[in-house]
Amino acid sequence: MRYSALSLLTQALRGHKGWTPVWRDPAPKAEYDVVIIGGGGHGLATAHYLASRHGITKIAVLEKGYLGSGNVGRNTTIIRSNYLLPGNTPFYELSMKLWEGLEQDLNYNAMVSQRGVLNLYHSDAQRDAFARRGNAMRLAGVDAELLDREQVRAMAPFFDYDNARFPIQGGLLQKRGGTARHDAVAWGYARAADSRGVDLIQNCEVTGFTMVDGRAVGVETSRGPIRAKKIAMAVAGNSSRVAAMAGMRLPIESHVLQAFVSEGLKPMIDGVVTFGAGHFYVSQSDKGGLVFGGDIDGYNSYAQRGNLPVIEDVMESAMALWPGLGRVRMLRHWGGIMDMSMDGSPIIDRAPVEGLYLNAGWCYGGFKATPASGFCFAHLIATGEPHPVAAAYRLDRFASGRLIDEKGVGAQPNLH
Amino acid sequence: MSAQPFRLASGGLIDRSQALSFRFDGKSYGGHAGDTLASALLANGVRLVGRSFKYHRPRGILSAGPEEPNALVELRSGARREPNTRATVAELFDGLEAVSQNRWPSLAFDLLSLNGLFSPALVAGFYYKTFMWPASFWEKLYEPLIRRAAGLGRAAGAEDPDHYEKAFAFCDLLVIGGGPAGLAAALAAGRTGARVILCDEDFRLGGRLLAEKREIDGRPVAEWLAAALAELESLPDVRLMPRTTVFGLYDHGTYGAVERVSDHLPQPQPHQPRQRAWRIQAKRAILAAGALERPIVFPGNDTPGVMLAGAARTYANRYGVLPGRETVLFTAGDDGWATARDIAAAGGKVAAIVDARADADPARKALADRLGARLFAGGVVERARGGRQLDQVTIRDASGATHALACDLLAVSNGWNPTLHLTSHQNGKPVWDEEIHCFVPGTLPAGLAVAGSAAGRFTLATALEDGARLAREALGDLGLSVAAAGPVPAADDEPCGLKPLWRVTGGKGPVFPGKAFVDFQNDVTDADVELAAREGFRPVEHLKRYTTLGMATDQGKTSNLSGLAIMAEQTGRTIPQAGTTTFRPPYTPVAIGALGGHHRGKAFRPVRLAPTHGWSSEQGAVFVETGQWLRAQYYPKPGETDWLATVNREVLAVRETVGICDVSTLGKIDIQGADAAAFLERVYINGWKALPVGKARYGLMLREDGFVMDDGTTSRLGEHHFLMTTTTANAGKVMQHLEFCHQVLWPDLDVGMVSVSEQWAQVTVAGPKARKTLRGVVDPEHDLSNEAFPYLAARAVTVGGGIPARLFRISFSGELAYELAVPAGYGDAMMRALMQAGAPFGITPYGTEALGVLRIEKGHVAGNELSGQTTARDLGLGKMMSSKKDYVGRLMANRAALNEPERPSFVGFKPVDRRERLRAGAHFIGVGKAATMANDEGYMTSVAHSPHLNHWIGLGLIRGGSARIGEQVRAYDPVRGGDILVEICSPVFLDPEGARLHG
Amino acid sequence: MRITCPYCGARDAQEFSYLGAADPVRPDGMAAAEAAMADYVYLRDNPAGPHRELWYHGSGCRSWLIVTRDTRTHAISAVEPAKVRKAGEAA
């Protein structure tokens, strides 16, 4: 059923009895053209673009839990394309452009909201580093503005400008950055893919690969074996575990990233702001909760939960930046498992095992990448060639040295 | 101040001798010490206290505890305003101010309640289906409207004037909850001498004992409680912490808790924090957090005057407040009956008892008769009405006939949910207990046991037994004696039969049947849950996320299970098949300020001061934050208003006479051992074995991935003794790296190392008069002549008549320069002595800015070039890479991709128009080429104004590097409006032959 | 999280910093191959389960420790010094 104000009103008059399931609940078939492992944002987006852009519809998306149960439903909802390196910037800008047309493409309101992303700087060196980045963005056709202290103050007068340990000197603003409603992104892609015939199969855990002559020809699942011409992995957080079933080791560690939401409040802050002298970023959801986070805990973890040192570090940074938050209460905190890659950038590539395609290593930047990740992964799966903006995301770049290390911290995932 | 019409003449745990006055929505009321805001409002007959989130429906007080979804207020005012404060746990104090929230213009008349008219369209998830056209209208029109309407209270907006603290505690046994189970546990453990901490979120210990008329050990509970608390207070290793909420359970027995030190006061006492965040490290813990009562979903169940039965009892028994004059009880189990009994005992009229269970137990019938209440066994309340205040309920009896009854209180009881939140903080899934119709703790986190109601053992007797038994078991596990644990307190079992009733349907309403709320705060109705089921949002997480059930500030404490039960019913499954309710930390919301502690403002992070900081302050230095250090940036002289003028003067002084700069912040690592030289060979890319004793050398180290990690000079002070210096920023990182290399990679090497960064104060004395200046400080027996102490000499000397010192002839500025180090305590004296010795030459102190200019003029790399993205070859230092030995990063640095000629490499830049200013961060674009990513050739890493050359100079990385010297390119800087022509040049702008160095 | 340092006793994990997997062995010496070094630098088993990993007690005794910790539960089953004592060296 197509969504519109009219369909909503029509249904309202009928007591909403006419709405039908947003997606089917099919049993797995014996064979598909493409099996996508992972019913999160990236997997669902891949299915949508394979179906809508490449006409491939004999697709199953296998999800071990419920659709959107991974990081697409656990993140802090930020979208931006303020990247420094040429391997990254065009990819995230494609993502931003897809965000800008997402709702009309999906006929689903994912509340894409471009209220701006502002990264604060607190020293001359940081300013110059942001200038370098802002200039790189402009060269790639991305909007970027370098603000001085007074411009930041005009946008956010409530920050600590007068008694700060690391005084705010200014910020790098991407006005087109913002947020989107994370669950709705998963649901919108799921609904759109389902409507084109993609089978979304929940509670279906992949337990192994069926190999013939070194080629992956199917998957073993908790709901039986499924054959596939192509198998695509989009299981960030658990990439190493699934890859291990195919005998692969990846340049990835799984780490926990915590996120926080405050009680619902009347509007306090418009866009997204990141603190440059500590680990803290914040935005406010349409429901009124401040959504915020900080650094990863820093140790390998699959537990989807973190510990107090990072929680306190985030709150300290929050108070250092915005001392008016003292009496605002943190309502919930949780953790997601991040595929932390060895250079901080993702992988979209064929796997060394024939028949297998890899979409992994999103670190804590996977949500904003969702549309382009699906778009480019679909392109790779359908055409066999990498999409031009994702061409740098090769798996062999680690061995070859063509790294995409935005932070310059090297092969230590917990520093990215 | 008005009278308190609903205050009972006697009874309760309030202090009637202490009258308190408070204001709600601008009106004055009276209460007593021991009241909560909610109990005081009820005492004054105030029932309408808030408006709901989406439909702005009038809401009253549902509970008497932390689960409250409705009675949220903005507490206090101005910078201390606390939005979304639950009136049911806000302790009353004299002068308290609170206002209702989420209403306009007033609580009684809220224009946004018009939302209710549109409510047929505003169902769960309606926003996903509309507001999409045109795309740009979302941010401009729809979203601002939604944002303004959503949210609940208003945050203060100003800096929080109060302080917060962090504290740490360690114990053998942490008891969470001071009710009967917790008290029994604390008593048993405390008597043995174990270290016990008992935390309770309430301001008064006792838990449910405070609200019940029961007996323990044959004594009234109040008497028993007083004795128990007195005994606990007498035990030296027992710490009682009321007003302390254990909000989270973390790894390895770490519990997060917040103590509300001053929230019961108008403002904190001087030198007291508002709240204190605790990290409690407990060897064992007992969760004795009790249980939370469950409401029933039926039309109008959110009308002010509909209250949980246990809460109604609490208001009567604990607070001496009659929660209603005319009460109807609607219960699905035995426990509700205690409310009818206690309300009647308090003088209230119980008009009817509606017990959904069909069986007419004779004892219950007798009690109803005694209370003068009509009994509707097998009946339900199918509707509550009254708008802003309950005035009527419609009862459907067992035969289906309906009866309208007037009342002002409907007490609702549907059994209790164990407060098991902490057990799910480490991913533990609660399990459904079919016998008692609730989720009970599943797999427990290590070290935690659950006692009493929190474990689903609901009677008073079992709670007491549980607490005492589990305390003994915990101490036994720890190998502590439990001989002295004492007897287990005894009580009678009360009836706790239950046949839960999740919702009432089938009522005949007027045009629209009334809304029946599952989640009061987020306005989620049973119809929303049905819609979610219809649309396929059936997994419990989908249900929550789609309808927002359980996502409000109460985290679904009163709503999650009802929602799950309705979903189960809709999908033909049992409750455990439909899902489980888990809870994320924190148990109740925690103030951000509390977890931030004192780390805010200037105290956000520690400040490290150079040994000469005091002296620099006296000179009027301007300081700059570099990491945790506060360093002198420049030293303006009176009359100098432009920082650049000051820096130019400082630079010229170094070039022409002599300057002095504190460089103590550099990392200093003392490395000793027979294999010290061999060790350096492996961590640096260049050679060290041949370095003579008494000499220094520049060293560069890589990460194992082949990119540059750090640089610095290292001196050989003895055959087996080196002193390494690192950059300021990497001091800790390099130390850790060296320890890694030694302990993990090459444990066989005979080498040891220690950081001595803080032990030595070190200054640079640079300039043509440097030697003469030093001569006045270094003891005369040390020959400083060029021959005796040549470039790169590094030796121990003495200064000031025997003070041990180290002198290094190294230069970052390209001048004749030395670094002199003395024990840190002498740093200030050394600075003063050098200033005196250099006075005849006009010695000039300089700061980090001039330091930067001097190094840029000489083309030395520093932090901006050591970005972690550059190789030794990128920086023009490839020749240092030894091919004769293995070292960290060798193999990876030799990868083909890291040695491609297109990689940007290090050169200098000057503006073609010498008046133009350069900016670091500008990108290089070929002349005449479009400003696109494809044409991006590199970027400017560092810039400075060279007073020597009298124009700006820059360093940077550009494709082709030194092969392009003489070529012009654009320095493109659109974010600062810059686009200028620059000429590529050698990075060494001054004295390329190094003549000054050797002077 | 708490780590029981063999030298200092049980300490908050905040005193330590984390590096990563302890099992990969550096291919030492001039004969080592680039591919083997790339594996050492970049590839990880990243198991969901017991994980031998390197922690540095930087705010304590500066020892590098090998901690065996379950990445699903964070439960620690062993902590040992990374530096293997040489034969005959005093404890």
Side-chain angles (χ1 to χ4, degrees), chain A residues 67-244:
Chain A
L67 294 177
S69 53
N71 292 330
V72 71
R74 307 176 82 86
N75 62 77
T76 44
T77 79
I78 296 166
I79 61 173
R80 59 184 173 87
S81 54
N82 55 359
Y83 279 75
L84 169 68
L85 298 177
N88 277 327
T89 323
F91 173 84
Y92 286 98
E93 179 56 16
L94 171 65
S95 213
M96 184 58 78
K97 292 210 167 78
L98 291 168
W99 282 119
E100 287 169 337
L102 187 76
E103 289 147 349
Q104 290 69 35
D105 186 16
L106 300 182
N107 179 232
Y108 204 85
N109 186 355
M111 303 183 187
V112 174
S113 175
Q114 295 177 290
R115 281 174 284 119
V117 171
L118 175 66
N119 297 317
L120 299 176
Y121 61 81
H122 308 258
S123 69
D124 290 355
Q126 218 174 6
R127 176 202 59 216
D128 292 342
F130 278 153
R132 177 191 172 198
R133 187 200 296 209
N135 288 332
M137 292 162 64
R138 296 279 281 266
L139 286 170
V142 182
D143 67 307
E145 294 167 52
L146 195 68
L147 307 187
D148 65 19
R149 179 185 162 98
E150 292 315 310
Q151 289 171 300
V152 171
R153 195 198 290 268
M155 282 178 71
F158 35 80
F159 291 156
D160 186 353
Y161 295 89
D162 304 319
N163 187 39
R165 173 74 178 79
F166 301 103
I168 296 166
Q169 289 195 17
L172 179 68
L173 174 67
Q174 185 187 15
K175 278 188 179 157
R176 287 162 63 241
T179 57
R181 166 92 181 102
H182 56 358
D183 288 324
V185 173
W187 300 338
Y189 275 120
R191 176 170 164 272
D194 173 87
S195 73
R196 291 178 193 270
V198 173
D199 282 357
L200 308 177
I201 304 169
Q202 306 188 63
N203 300 309
C204 181
E205 182 168 8
V206 169
T207 55
F209 289 91
T210 312
M211 309 289 289
V212 172
D213 299 334
R215 181 188 161 85
V217 297
V219 290
E220 309 290 327
T221 79
S222 56
R223 298 177 70 174
I226 302 172
R227 288 192 308 281
K229 296 196 176 77
K230 293 175 180 174
I231 303 168
M233 269 175 60
V235 292
N238 287 286
S239 295
S240 299
R241 299 169 74 177
V242 177

Side-chain angles (χ1 to χ4, degrees), chain B residues 251-252 704 739 743 746, chain C residues 14 26 28-29 62 64 74:
Chain B
D251 280 317
H252 309 153
E704 193 69 276
E739 292 281 18
Q743 296 179 38
W746 305 301
Chain C
Q14 242 176 321
R26 183 179 192 270
D28 250 3
R62 291 191 282 118
W64 277 94
H74 301 167

